[in-house]
Amino acid sequence: MSLPPGPNGFAALQLLRWIRDPFGLLEECQARFGDSFTLTLPSPASPFVIVASPEAVKDVLALDGEVAHAGKANVVLRPLLGEHSVILLDGSEHARQRKMMLPAFHGDRLAAYGRTMTELAHAVIDRLPVGEPFPIVRSMRAITLQVIVRTVFGLEAGRRFSELTDVLSRAIDAAAQPMLLLPFMQRDLGPLSPWGRFLRYGAKASEILRGEIRRGRAQGTAGRTDVLAMLLEARDEAGEPMTEDEVHDELVTLLVAGHETTATALAWALRWIWVDPPLVERLRTDIAGSGGDPASIAKLDLLDRTVREALRLQPVVPLIGRVLQRRTKIGDIEIGAGRVVACAIYLVHRRPSLYPDPDRFRPDRFVTFKPASWEWLPFGGGLRRCIGAAFAILEMKMVLAALLPRVTAHLAKLSIHPVRRGITLTPSGGLPVVITARRSREAGSPRAA
Ligand code: HEM
């Protein structure tokens, strides 16, 4: 069965382009070949049949777990996550693991995390430099990493907390080089080589995480509200708990899937918010009116629309893939068994018929337009929809609600483009900004630089 057309030329060149400028490549292919095309990407699962029409995306998201395997499409992440990661599993194994993880991300659990997110955000905001340019994405990463270590791993501030955040940020930095996604670059050439550094810091982080798992098992989890405690308590249908390896790989997965993605999404949101002073004012007024309580902040309409628009305009993950287990009709094309079909989130989000004037940041577009799940999908969809979507949206809201009222800032550089960092696409230069005034947490008078 023939594949839809795609760019000719060396696979290696397509791959380099994909690493350097994935959005440009997707746009160019759509302009040349239409809503379905074939790309060779840096994955053993390649080539990918890319679909960009909402109708085809709807078909992909509706496929059941036996027909569409996402785990196989994500195989490139195995060295980072471990073989038990929910992201890499398919069929009944995936369903079992996912079911055991989901309760930890339900609404009542999340409500408790809102306050922690706010506290950690304020502590980072207290230390932001005033009057000089700095890359804000690093500060966003500091917040989201601490949020994971506190709410997911259950560590309170102290020596183990600092040790783990330090080792994890080094391991993540080492793994962030996009070329390391290529299997032939995954070679341990000593502690100074990129993969060697990742392996060494990764091993140290694993040791600490395993220590936390054993501590949780030995001491019991009574009174704990973190995700690790829930994973230790979880039982499958046969009444069995997860093994230590499974819990370990899921902790790493939650860290990798949840930390950098949320930090990047926050930085993109700021990229658009801080060039729109009237929007900043409207958000500040709403946030002030909420009284500062996390549950009220989470319900603010304009803040919600702002977060959704940032995730639309610059989706952190540009594609989601599925390996088809049998010949399947997707939109108006037939795709054979064994092929990967991937939904181009980015192209759907820039479709003028859904989002008029698609390149503009306009949170108010969501006042009248309520997109279907296949029209707005920064978190993917169907049976594999991101487990942490509500967590990430809550965290984005808590951080913006802490930051915007306290800080007056502008971008230090107006021309910002996406650059790849590991699996995410982050603003160039880490989004350099200048803070000109910072208010105290109690909303005292602005302290000018
Ligand atoms: C803005 C932040 C985030 C974005 C844009 C994002 C995006 C995604 C996407 C696109 C997928 C693949 C979905 C699919 O294949 O249909 C995914 C899966 C996943 N995400 Fe997120 N994510 C974010 C934050 C988080 C957080 C905070 C966590 C947890 C702490 C998390 C945990 C996961 C997990 C466990 C999966 C695998 C689900 C499965 O295979 O069943 N993510 N995410």
Side-chain angles (χ1 to χ4, degrees), residues 98 102 257-258 261 378-390 392:
R98 186 172 163 107
L102 274 177
T261 44
F379 297 104
L383 294 173
R384 306 299 296 233
R385 187 170 189 270
C386 174
I387 288 178

Tab-separated table of all heavy atoms in Angstrom, residues 98 102 257-258 261 378-390 392:
chain	number	residue	atom	x	y	z
A	98	ARG	N	-1.815	2.507	33.498
A	98	ARG	CA	-2.491	3.808	33.452
A	98	ARG	C	-3.580	3.887	34.532
A	98	ARG	O	-3.727	4.892	35.200
A	98	ARG	CB	-3.059	4.039	32.041
A	98	ARG	CG	-3.646	5.428	31.863
A	98	ARG	CD	-4.014	5.690	30.406
A	98	ARG	NE	-4.900	6.817	30.331
A	98	ARG	CZ	-4.565	8.034	29.881
A	98	ARG	NH1	-3.370	8.268	29.419
A	98	ARG	NH2	-5.439	9.009	29.883
A	102	LEU	N	-3.865	6.872	37.340
A	102	LEU	CA	-4.844	7.956	37.169
A	102	LEU	C	-5.382	8.574	38.470
A	102	LEU	O	-5.477	9.799	38.562
A	102	LEU	CB	-6.012	7.470	36.305
A	102	LEU	CG	-5.802	7.597	34.797
A	102	LEU	CD1	-7.002	7.025	34.046
A	102	LEU	CD2	-5.564	9.049	34.386
A	257	ALA	N	7.980	13.703	31.622
A	257	ALA	CA	6.794	14.164	30.889
A	257	ALA	C	6.240	15.461	31.469
A	257	ALA	O	5.598	16.238	30.768
A	257	ALA	CB	5.712	13.083	30.903
A	258	GLY	N	6.484	15.702	32.760
A	258	GLY	CA	5.758	16.777	33.414
A	258	GLY	C	6.547	18.025	33.749
A	258	GLY	O	5.957	19.077	33.986
A	261	THR	N	8.033	20.088	30.023
A	261	THR	CA	6.864	20.465	29.213
A	261	THR	C	6.130	21.657	29.828
A	261	THR	O	5.849	22.645	29.149
A	261	THR	CB	5.869	19.285	29.143
A	261	THR	OG1	5.741	18.739	30.455
A	261	THR	CG2	6.299	18.215	28.169
A	378	PRO	N	-3.263	19.937	22.714
A	378	PRO	CA	-1.859	20.023	23.160
A	378	PRO	C	-1.465	18.839	24.031
A	378	PRO	O	-0.284	18.546	24.179
A	378	PRO	CB	-1.829	21.324	23.981
A	378	PRO	CG	-3.229	21.580	24.381
A	378	PRO	CD	-4.086	21.020	23.283
A	379	PHE	N	-2.466	18.159	24.623
A	379	PHE	CA	-2.173	17.011	25.483
A	379	PHE	C	-2.487	15.694	24.775
A	379	PHE	O	-2.662	14.665	25.435
A	379	PHE	CB	-2.984	17.115	26.774
A	379	PHE	CG	-2.637	18.334	27.599
A	379	PHE	CD1	-3.480	19.444	27.634
A	379	PHE	CD2	-1.452	18.394	28.312
A	379	PHE	CE1	-3.156	20.568	28.379
A	379	PHE	CE2	-1.113	19.514	29.063
A	379	PHE	CZ	-1.965	20.603	29.101
A	380	GLY	N	-2.538	15.696	23.448
A	380	GLY	CA	-2.891	14.482	22.725
A	380	GLY	C	-4.346	14.141	22.986
A	380	GLY	O	-5.166	15.035	23.259
A	381	GLY	N	-4.675	12.837	22.904
A	381	GLY	CA	-6.083	12.511	23.125
A	381	GLY	C	-6.367	11.033	23.089
A	381	GLY	O	-5.468	10.199	22.972
A	382	GLY	N	-7.657	10.723	23.196
A	382	GLY	CA	-8.116	9.335	23.203
A	382	GLY	C	-7.608	8.628	24.460
A	382	GLY	O	-7.416	9.239	25.503
A	383	LEU	N	-7.322	7.320	24.303
A	383	LEU	CA	-6.912	6.504	25.450
A	383	LEU	C	-5.542	6.886	25.985
A	383	LEU	O	-5.150	6.447	27.059
A	383	LEU	CB	-6.843	5.029	25.021
A	383	LEU	CG	-8.152	4.382	24.646
A	383	LEU	CD1	-7.902	2.991	24.084
A	383	LEU	CD2	-9.044	4.304	25.879
A	384	ARG	N	-4.797	7.675	25.204
A	384	ARG	CA	-3.439	8.029	25.624
A	384	ARG	C	-3.328	9.484	26.048
A	384	ARG	O	-2.218	9.980	26.223
A	384	ARG	CB	-2.453	7.781	24.461
A	384	ARG	CG	-2.473	6.418	23.875
A	384	ARG	CD	-2.110	5.346	24.858
A	384	ARG	NE	-0.766	5.413	25.355
A	384	ARG	CZ	0.113	4.394	25.326
A	384	ARG	NH1	-0.229	3.246	24.793
A	384	ARG	NH2	1.324	4.519	25.851
A	385	ARG	N	-4.475	10.165	26.208
A	385	ARG	CA	-4.376	11.598	26.549
A	385	ARG	C	-3.510	11.775	27.790
A	385	ARG	O	-3.537	10.950	28.707
A	385	ARG	CB	-5.779	12.175	26.793
A	385	ARG	CG	-5.753	13.676	26.986
A	385	ARG	CD	-7.169	14.258	26.985
A	385	ARG	NE	-7.117	15.715	26.961
A	385	ARG	CZ	-7.083	16.475	28.057
A	385	ARG	NH1	-7.125	15.907	29.247
A	385	ARG	NH2	-7.008	17.783	27.946
A	386	CYS	N	-2.728	12.847	27.781
A	386	CYS	CA	-1.787	13.134	28.863
A	386	CYS	C	-2.436	12.966	30.239
A	386	CYS	O	-3.462	13.588	30.529
A	386	CYS	CB	-1.290	14.562	28.702
A	386	CYS	SG	-0.261	15.124	30.056
A	387	ILE	N	-1.822	12.157	31.074
A	387	ILE	CA	-2.336	11.926	32.433
A	387	ILE	C	-2.242	13.197	33.270
A	387	ILE	O	-3.053	13.438	34.157
A	387	ILE	CB	-1.505	10.800	33.108
A	387	ILE	CG1	-1.841	9.447	32.500
A	387	ILE	CG2	-1.705	10.787	34.622
A	387	ILE	CD1	-1.034	8.286	33.084
A	388	GLY	N	-1.254	14.032	32.951
A	388	GLY	CA	-1.002	15.219	33.776
A	388	GLY	C	-1.609	16.496	33.228
A	388	GLY	O	-1.235	17.586	33.669
A	389	ALA	N	-2.577	16.391	32.282
A	389	ALA	CA	-3.113	17.610	31.647
A	389	ALA	C	-3.705	18.574	32.684
A	389	ALA	O	-3.363	19.765	32.701
A	389	ALA	CB	-4.155	17.238	30.594
A	390	ALA	N	-4.553	18.068	33.567
A	390	ALA	CA	-5.188	18.956	34.557
A	390	ALA	C	-4.141	19.508	35.521
A	390	ALA	O	-4.191	20.670	35.933
A	390	ALA	CB	-6.275	18.199	35.322
A	392	ALA	N	-0.977	20.073	34.796
A	392	ALA	CA	-0.179	21.085	34.089
A	392	ALA	C	-0.950	22.401	33.969
A	392	ALA	O	-0.394	23.484	34.181
A	392	ALA	CB	0.196	20.567	32.698
